Amino acid sequence: MASTAPAERLNEVKERIARAAALARRSPDEVTLIAVSKTHPPEAIAPLIESGQRVFGENRVQEAQAKWPELRERFPDIGLHLIGQLQSNKADEAVVLFDAIHSVDRLSLVTALGKAMDKAGRRPACFIQVNIGDEPQKGGCAVSEVEALVAACRAAGLPLAGLMCIPPADVEPAPYFALLSKLARRHGVSGISMGMSSDYETAVTVGATHVRVGTALFGERS
Ligand SMILES: *Cc1c(COP(=O)(O)O)cnc(C)c1O
């Protein structure tokens, strides 16, 4: 896969998204492809940008700070999404750097992000991460906590864009994706961030508005 040109890999992923959307009678324009560039150097990222990709995902604040300011000088219209866990003490830096944050999962972080946004005068879109399979080791709030977190985000003035999940590994993901879609509808949020390289087509058929794809675009991470 790594021997294929980035432009070809990008086209392949976009075609698969379009086919999955068509199956579900959705427009492919409803789905934002987030190219997950974590661990990959700027030299690997630039060809994808030159092929037209504009939205990227990183999972660590520090790594993104090291990689993106220079790339963004060359390509000012990039959208950068934080898809990994965020510590409250990094909220200021995250709010300055990212256009969206997919890992809002607890009240203390909602408070920290609200303060950071007031201070920076910048309000990245926020997704509440839900621990959809109720796994002890996973990030995300419990399904039972979604309602309280939605309310807290709204009260703190966070622009609530949607919900995000990472389903349990090695089991059929569709039921978990369907549950996240249902939770999003129930709580009146339109964004649904779900689906990775192995399951983004399934995610699109059950309502994903944002898919986070790394390996299928960049090849395996070392
Ligand atoms: C790394 C990562 C992805 C992308 O995973 P791939 O399997 O490489 O597509 C998506 N979402 C999150 C939260 C990640 O950490």
Side-chain angles (χ1 to χ4, degrees):
M1 182 184 284
S3 59
T4 318
E8 281 172 42
R9 279 177 268 156
L10 181 61
N11 281 338
E12 163 91 21
V13 170
K14 282 196 206 158
E15 272 170 28
R16 285 168 178 263
I17 289 172
R19 255 179 272 150
L23 268 179
R25 303 279 189 275
R26 302 179 65 204
S27 160
D29 300 342
E30 292 171 33
V31 184
T32 299
L33 170 61
I34 302 172
V36 177
S37 49
K38 65 187 184 197
T39 77
H40 297 291
E43 311 85 79
I45 299 171
L48 268 196
I49 303 176
E50 281 153 3
S51 303
Q53 178 63 23
R54 283 296 177 273
V55 184
F56 288 83
E58 290 282 343
N59 70 335
R60 291 175 59 236
V61 174
Q62 244 178 329
E63 183 184 340
Q65 275 173 333
K67 269 159 52 176
W68 280 96
E70 210 180 337
L71 280 168
R72 277 175 144 174
E73 248 170 61
R74 288 164 60 196
F75 308 99
D77 56 340
I78 295 292
L80 197 56
H81 291 219
L82 177 65
I83 60 169
Q85 302 264 309
L86 178 60
Q87 293 170 320
S88 295
N89 64 11
K90 296 251 171 72
D92 283 328
E93 291 159 280
V95 161
V96 170
L97 187 63
F98 291 98
D99 302 297
I101 297 172
H102 291 239
S103 49
V104 180
D105 63 356
R106 57 196 187 278
L107 284 172
S108 58
L109 183 57
V110 170
T111 307
L113 284 170
K115 283 188 189 147
M117 288 183 196
D118 290 342
K119 199 159 119 190
R122 205 172 176 275
R123 310 193 90 75
C126 290
F127 290 75
I128 293 174
Q129 183 177 350
V130 184
N131 185 354
I132 203 76
D134 210 10
E135 298 171 279
Q137 79 285 8
K138 274 256 173 86
C141 72
V143 169
S144 60
E145 294 168 340
V146 172
E147 183 167 8
L149 265 183
V150 166
C153 285
R154 288 181 173 144
L158 269 52
L160 185 58
L163 305 182
M164 178 274 219
C165 77
I166 306 170
D170 305 321
V171 295
E172 168 57 42
Y176 297 99
F177 290 156
L179 176 57
L180 195 73
S181 286
K182 184 168 133 187
L183 288 169
R185 275 196 303 277
R186 182 185 300 162
H187 296 293
V189 293
S190 55
I192 307 177
S193 167
M194 60 188 187
M196 308 179 15
S197 288
S198 58
D199 54 19
Y200 65 91
E201 293 157 281
T202 305
V204 168
T205 62
V206 284
T209 62
H210 294 70
V211 292
R212 310 177 307 267
V213 178
T215 308
L217 292 169
F218 291 98
E220 296 289 337
R221 288 178 290 273
S222 45

